[in-house]
Amino acid sequence: AGTKSGCGAVRCRFHRCTFRHLGGWGLLLGEGCHGSRISRCTFTDLGAGAVHAFGTTNEIPGTTNGDHVVEDCEIHSGGHVFA
């Protein structure tokens, strides 16, 4: 799981946030999420990775995911948990 997660979240903003010392993802954007902007955030010491956007790419209402922007972030020391 992520420190912050959402399904159906639209136009969320994460600016100058710090995600660190986590056993999974820093941020999860689930089914139905659109238009999120993640800017000037720091992601470090993560079990998985920084941002995971998932859902479908089909036309079923409420399940598609996309149009996210990740910009000017520091991302390092991820992938510490291996399956």
Side-chain angles (χ1 to χ4, degrees), residues 12-81:
C12 290
R13 301 290 181 255
F14 296 89
H15 182 70
R16 293 187 178 184
C17 298
T18 299
F19 301 85
R20 67 176 161 216
H21 310 306
L22 304 172
W25 292 94
L27 185 59
L28 291 174
L29 301 171
E31 289 185 349
C33 291
H34 289 278
S36 294
R37 182 174 293 273
I38 300 100
S39 61
R40 301 191 65 155
C41 294
T42 300
F43 297 86
T44 185
D45 192 20
L46 305 171
V51 179
H52 181 52
F54 63 95
T56 63
T57 56
N58 60 30
E59 297 300 320
I60 298 172
T63 63
T64 59
N65 183 319
D67 298 322
H68 305 295
V69 174
V70 178
E71 62 185 358
D72 197 23
C73 293
E74 292 184 30
I75 302 170
H76 51 90
S77 299
H80 292 293
V81 176

